[in-house]
């Protein structure tokens, strides 16, 4: 272990020299930034001299981690942002290039910060991945503080405000991720890929930490603004101090996993005395919140549950998931995401869709199914909506469904709309869903039939009603 640590330290020293050349020779770096960098290099040498022989410390250019105190300190400096500017990041690395929308820049690399957090005992988390239905990052929390020249520590969230309320964000800590390593397990991807994020204000997968809020970048852009600059003087040297959140008086781990099983007339959940109702389920999950835990809930169901009951339960779960009271996990293999049962009602009508994915229509009982392939036909540039040409494929089975979707589905639209009888049980569609998900993971289950609306003939009539018959005559 000692030889490995020594080799890593030697490598880090060479890395510091290389980074020093880029910063000290850069025409874009201000004199203050260069001065801050020299200070960080001197601190690195001082820390090695004082603590280098002690295994309780992890020391690399730009940071020091103390295993006994469970504390990581980053050498950083405040940026040029001013009150009211967009705050996409709290802290970025010096090679990020996003300092125009970040409060602080650190001389430590994202990979070294991740290593330091594991050194003080933080387990790796799991980053968001919307493509796999992971909308909540998962992991233990850490708190970040800004320590200025006077030694005073301020929670880093206090420097960012919500544009809607004009108030600083509450201190909720950050989810430690640290999971983005290459296949060798030696290279931390955010070092060279992504925005160089240490701590963002939105959900960023390529980062060391993630915000605990449900905050997709497109949804919160311009919502989180700089409340006050990171220091009274720009380019001022500061320390970013990182510690695991204080769990004193609460369970050791914040993350708590639950599996909610939806049965035919009952629910099962860890902590419930027996098969129970949904009210008791929510009470158990609420009690976890009181213990300052994050309930991550995997939702599964029996195949004899009716589709209407499943849709109703999923509708009840949507609110607590959106608010963060619970965090719904990605679906189990072969099952759809719970929001598949909560489709946009407007999409039942073809005229109201922004695109035309395939429609899978399953008969009552699931013995038969057909696939509607819908082609948009734009007659000319002046058309306000396309005509829809529908091709129906009968004889669809779970065995040939994935092949038919791959062959007939619109390119770059791996979405499927499923129409089934609400009184049927999940067993009537289970095999179709499992087959479809091989190629079309994004599927939406409608209870009842499709509102065809715009086939080619009805679209033409609609066009005549809106623009008169002369328009069609001119086109001919």
């Amino acid at each position: 272990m000692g030889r490995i640590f020594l080799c890593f330290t030697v490598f880090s020293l060479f890395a510091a020299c290389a980074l020093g050349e880029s910063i000290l020779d850069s025409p874009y770096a201000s004199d203050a930034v260069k001065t801050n960098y020299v200070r960080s290099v001197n601190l690195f040498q001082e820390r090695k001299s004082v603590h280098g022989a002690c295994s309780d410390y992890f020391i690399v250019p730009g940071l020091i981690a103390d295993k006994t105190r469970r504390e990581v300190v980053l050498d950083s400096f405040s940026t040029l942002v001013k009150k009211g500017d967009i705050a996409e990041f709290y802290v970025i690395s010096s090679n990020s290039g996003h300092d125009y929308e970040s409060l602080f820049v650190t001389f430590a690399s994202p990979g070294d910060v991740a290593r330091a957090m594991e050194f003080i005992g933080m387990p790796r988390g799991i980053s968001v991945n919307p493509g796999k239905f992971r909308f909540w990052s998962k992991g233990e929390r850490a708190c970040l503080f800004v320590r200025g020249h006077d030694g005073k520590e301020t929670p880093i969230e206090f420097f960012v405000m919500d544009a809607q309320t004009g108030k600083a964000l509450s201190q909720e800590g950050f989810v430690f991720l640290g999971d983005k390593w290459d296949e060798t397990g030696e290279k931390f991807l955010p070092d060279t890929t992504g925005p160089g994020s240490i701590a963002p204000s939105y959900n960023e997968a390529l980062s060391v930490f993630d915000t605990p809020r449900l905050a997709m970048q497109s949804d919160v852009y311009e919502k989180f603004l700089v409340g006050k600059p990171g220091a009274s003087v720009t380019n001022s040297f500061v320390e970013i101090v990182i510690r695991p959140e204080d769990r004193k008086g609460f369970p050791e781990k914040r993350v708590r996993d639950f599996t909610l099983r939806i049965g035919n007339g009952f629910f099962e959940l860890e902590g419930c005395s027996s098969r129970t109702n949904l009210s008791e389920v929510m009470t158990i999950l609420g009690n976890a919140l009181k213990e300052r835990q994050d309930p991550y809930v995997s939702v599964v169901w029996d195949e004899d549950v009716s589709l209407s009951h499943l849709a109703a339960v999923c509708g009840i779960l949507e609110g607590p998931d959106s608010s963060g009271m619970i965090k719904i996990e990605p679906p189990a293999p072969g099952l759809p995401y719970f929001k598949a049962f909560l489709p946009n009602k407007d999409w039942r009508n073809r005229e109201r869709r922004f695109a035309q994915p395939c429609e899978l229509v399953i008969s009552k009982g699931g013995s038969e199914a057909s696939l509607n392939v819908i082609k948009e036909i734009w007659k000319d540039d002046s058309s306000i909506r396309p005509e829809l040409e529908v091709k129906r494929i009968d004889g669809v089975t779970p065995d040939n469904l994935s092949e038919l979707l791959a062959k007939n589905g619109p390119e770059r639209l791996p979405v499927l709309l499923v129409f089934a009888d609400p009184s049927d049980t999940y067993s009537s569609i289970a095999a179709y869903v499992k087959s479809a998900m091989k190629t079309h993971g994004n599927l939406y289950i409608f209870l009842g039939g499709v509102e065809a609306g715009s086939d080619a003939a009805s679209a033409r009539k609609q066009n005549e009603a809106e623009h008169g018959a002369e328009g069609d005559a001119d086109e001919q």
Side-chain angles (χ1 to χ4, degrees):
M1 177 66 185
R3 291 183 61 189
I4 295 175
F5 186 79
L6 177 61
C7 292
F8 186 78
T9 300
V10 172
F11 170 80
S12 299
L13 182 57
F14 281 114
C17 293
L19 180 60
E21 290 177 359
S22 64
I23 290 180
L24 296 178
D25 298 337
S26 171
Y28 304 104
S30 69
D31 290 341
V33 169
K34 293 178 181 179
T35 299
N36 289 332
Y37 176 73
V38 171
R39 179 174 178 178
S40 178
V41 171
N42 291 335
L43 281 171
F44 171 67
Q45 299 295 345
E46 180 182 330
R47 291 161 180 164
K48 288 298 299 175
S49 175
V50 176
H51 303 294
C54 181
S55 61
D56 287 338
Y57 293 90
F58 175 78
I59 302 169
V60 292
L63 73 79
I64 179 171
D66 185 333
K67 184 183 295 184
T68 302
R69 294 169 62 102
R70 298 199 74 195
E71 177 180 278
V72 176
V73 179
L74 311 182
D75 299 340
S76 311
F77 62 91
S78 58
T79 64
L80 300 174
V81 297
K82 59 184 182 299
K83 185 174 182 178
D85 286 349
I86 293 172
E88 288 243 292
F89 304 93
Y90 294 92
V91 188
I92 55 173
S93 59
S94 58
N95 65 345
S96 166
H98 286 263
D99 50 298
Y100 62 93
E101 55 186 0
S102 177
L103 286 160
F104 301 97
V105 178
T106 180
F107 295 115
S109 71
D112 282 343
V113 179
R115 293 181 183 95
M117 295 306 298
E118 290 191 76
F119 178 79
I120 66 170
M122 289 285 284
R124 291 183 187 179
I126 304 175
S127 303
V128 294
N129 189 339
K132 294 186 177 180
F133 304 103
R134 179 167 291 285
F135 297 100
W136 292 97
S137 55
K138 185 177 184 180
E140 297 301 311
R141 300 245 189 123
C143 296
L144 277 64
F145 302 88
V146 180
R147 186 158 64 198
H149 298 292
D150 58 1
K152 180 182 177 181
E153 295 183 0
T154 304
I156 201 168
E157 293 97 327
F158 290 4
F159 293 92
V160 174
M161 69 176 179
D162 187 322
Q164 295 178 329
T165 65
K167 297 180 180 180
L169 300 185
S170 58
Q171 184 187 14
E172 297 181 27
F174 295 82
V175 179
F176 174 57
L177 304 177
D179 61 333
K180 293 298 183 182
W181 299 84
D182 68 357
E183 61 276 3
T184 68
E186 297 178 357
K187 183 181 295 184
F188 193 58
L189 298 181
D191 282 344
T192 55
T193 306
S197 173
I198 305 294
S201 64
Y202 66 93
N203 299 136
E204 171 60 59
L206 289 168
S207 181
V208 180
F209 299 97
D210 191 17
T211 176
R213 303 170 178 86
L214 194 63
M216 304 302 291
Q217 186 177 22
S218 58
D219 294 336
V220 301
Y221 188 76
E222 296 186 332
K223 178 182 178 182
F224 296 143
L225 307 177
V226 177
K228 60 179 178 178
S232 57
V233 180
T234 57
N235 293 333
S236 178
F237 187 91
V238 298
E239 293 178 328
I240 304 297
V241 183
I242 309 171
R243 303 185 186 95
E245 71 168 343
D246 184 4
R247 301 291 302 170
K248 186 177 181 180
F250 297 98
E252 179 183 358
K253 299 295 184 182
R254 173 177 279 271
V255 172
R256 184 171 175 185
D257 292 311
F258 290 91
T259 296
L260 172 62
R261 176 190 169 196
I262 305 172
N264 187 7
F266 65 90
F267 299 89
E268 285 186 349
L269 183 78
E270 174 193 349
C272 293
S273 57
S274 61
R275 294 184 173 187
T276 185
N277 55 43
L278 196 55
S279 177
E280 185 180 357
V281 166
M282 300 311 293
T283 298
I284 295 293
L285 297 175
N287 289 338
L289 283 177
K290 293 177 181 178
E291 293 291 317
R292 285 178 54 193
Q293 292 182 306
D294 290 334
Y296 286 84
V297 183
S298 297
V299 181
V300 298
W301 50 83
D302 296 344
E303 290 200 350
D304 63 350
V305 176
S306 74
L307 295 176
S308 58
H309 181 58
L310 265 180
V313 173
C314 290
I316 294 172
L317 295 176
E318 182 183 26
D321 176 72
S322 298
S323 67
M325 176 185 172
I326 63 175
K327 296 170 172 60
I328 303 295
E329 289 276 75
L335 292 182
Y337 187 52
F338 85 106
K339 286 189 177 180
F341 295 96
L342 307 173
N344 186 327
K345 295 179 180 179
D346 286 344
W347 295 353
R348 188 186 294 275
N349 188 314
R350 292 171 184 161
E351 290 182 356
R352 298 173 182 170
R353 301 174 194 163
F354 60 86
Q356 297 297 335
C358 290
E359 301 169 348
L360 177 65
V361 182
I362 303 175
S363 68
K364 183 173 176 57
S367 59
E368 298 178 352
S370 60
L371 189 68
N372 293 329
V373 181
I374 307 166
K375 182 179 180 180
E376 295 182 327
I377 302 175
W378 295 89
K379 296 182 64 177
D380 55 52
D381 293 339
S382 63
S383 300
I384 58 175
R385 63 168 61 93
E387 293 185 357
L388 303 179
E389 182 179 276
V390 182
K391 179 178 72 172
R392 174 173 166 169
I393 302 174
D394 292 319
V396 177
T397 68
D399 292 333
N400 64 18
L401 176 56
S402 59
E403 181 181 351
L404 289 171
L405 287 171
K407 182 178 179 180
N408 295 281
E411 293 185 14
R412 297 182 295 278
L413 188 62
V415 178
L416 178 64
L417 307 185
V418 179
F419 296 85
D421 191 288
S423 64
D424 273 349
T425 62
Y426 184 74
S427 61
S428 66
I429 69 169
Y432 292 101
V433 168
K434 189 173 183 178
S435 176
M437 291 184 67
K438 295 176 183 177
T439 55
H440 289 61
N442 292 315
L443 54 84
Y444 299 91
I445 301 169
F446 290 86
L447 305 185
V450 62
E451 293 179 9
S454 294
D455 56 18
S458 63
R460 186 176 294 108
K461 292 179 181 179
Q462 179 73 16
N463 187 58
E464 291 176 359
E466 294 180 354
H467 301 285
E470 294 180 0
D472 284 343
D474 291 339
E475 291 170 6
Q476 297 172 358

